[in-house]
Amino acid sequence: MAKYADLLTAQGDGLIHFWAMEETSGTAVADVIGGWNAQCYAMAALTSGEYDATAVTTPAGHGRDLSVNWDGSYSDRTSIAVIRIDQAPSAPSLSAFTFRLRYYQRTKIKDTYSAMDLALIFFGRGSANGVYLTSGAGEFFVGAGGSSDTITTDPFTDGQWHDVVLCGDSTSVDLYVNGSVISSVSGSSTFDIYDDTGTSDSCLIGAEDFDEGDVYDTQSVIDGIIQDAAIWNRKLTPAEIASLDTAGPSEPLITDISPITYNVALDATLPIVAEFAVQVNPTEVSLDVVFPISFRAVAFQDWVSKLPPVEIQEVYQLVITGAGDGLDDLVIGGISSWQATNQAGTRSAYVQAVIPAADQYVADIEARSNGELVIQKGYKLATGQVQFEEILRSAFDDAREDRGRGSLTLTVSGYMRGKPFSTGSRALTGIRSTSKPNGKRRVLCDIDLFLQPGMTVTALNESFQADYINYYVNDTDKFCEVGER
């Protein structure tokens, strides 16, 4: 059976990043837990159809066939893709970690010029404490936390799935393949899975970095499939690792990767005349305003706090803007689920929304290919009146169709970088849990309509800067994760 029933259970067990690779087209590879998203990327100029071809069916659902477009020749190796993690979060080193991926090896690529072949993982490129598993000259090299080992026996078999686990703490760094220990070296209290300040976009699955940037070493690419990848902020026990392998490649790590959410209720009548706190950078003022509110600027009006907290329905809608195509905005109120990561500055915000029974929208959505995806949250009163506010937006990068018997589900997603940081303070409500992985605070709580990256948040008498906000919403639950880096 799967190790975890859902995302919340997995998070509680120390899982901090999980690339489920359940996308069925496009280049995006979402981290459904930590928001550290990735792209399927090749050095060659692949077409959208060729990138779509990398998304394949695997025993546990889907995965990425990185070499599906390769013709087998040395000169064509640039068509082999890698999973390139987006700009790494500015996060401290881990004192313990577990990196696990499921890998199908079709063949072992051998570069006769440099004797390079196979780099499964290469993280923390700019640091001696990085994490890697690579090979060359017939030998395999495993390293983490400044310790390393050379393995002369090939642990991988062509035409088979492999459960690969690299884990470490102060006691030891261990490599497992299919539940068996292949290597064990001295431990460390410092493991760097993230890029350092001198590198960017150099954390890779399926190749070794070449220039500490967008270019990877095409002599180290793999001929195979990655089904999923996961990182824990602790070292799994031998029994847990054996259990993962026993489950086999057909069992997902997490049974249900649907976003985790919550419901709230409130009662009021619109229009409302009241005194509203309006926060303006860098001061606060107050004034009288009447709904509907049309004010739009860097400031925000916290009208929700003035509503009596009884019997009001919380609702969400997706807006695909039409200005870029000379059209009106398209409002879709029937999204069954959405998830997003709200970040600012050089980090990309990410939005993904699922639209059921999407046949009625396909033509309108296709007509707005230059639009933006906007998630709005609102409150619907007993009178039927609704007031919406924008939570976040992204570019419209991808639309994926999933057809069932008589129905069409459409998943839209996109990224956006360059959003300015916000100032001000917010008190988090509906707190489910708090934690301090590596000393950095993280809170699971209600979705705050006005919270933006850069604001100072308070939870259980502690305050910190909200560096990122992850949202998880579906038909049964809604919540967000607010964290610092």
Side-chain angles (χ1 to χ4, degrees), residues 289-305:
V289 9
V290 180
F291 275 8
I293 298 171
S294 59
F295 181 76
R296 283 291 181 271
V298 176
F300 65 87
Q301 307 90 4
D302 188 358
W303 49 268
V304 175
S305 64

Side-chain angles (χ1 to χ4, degrees), residues 413-429:
S413 61
Y415 296 84
M416 181 172 287
R417 183 172 294 187
K419 177 179 181 177
F421 286 94
S422 298
T423 60
S425 59
R426 303 291 293 168
L428 302 182
T429 61

Side-chain angles (χ1 to χ4, degrees), residues 16-32:
I16 57 174
H17 301 295
F18 181 51
W19 297 275
M21 302 192 193
E22 282 299 295
E23 296 86 1
T24 57
S25 63
T27 62
V29 180
D31 173 10
V32 298

Side-chain angles (χ1 to χ4, degrees), residues 3 11 27 50 81 86 108 123-124 180 203 244 279 328-329 349 351 361 404-405 411 426 431 455 467:
K3 184 173 178 62
Q11 287 180 305
T27 62
E50 288 172 324
D86 287 350
K108 180 180 296 300
F123 277 55
S180 298
C203 293
L244 287 174
Q279 185 158 342
D328 294 332
D329 292 347
V351 171
Y361 298 113
R405 182 175 298 177
T411 301
R426 303 291 293 168
I431 296 173
M455 290 184 174
D467 293 315

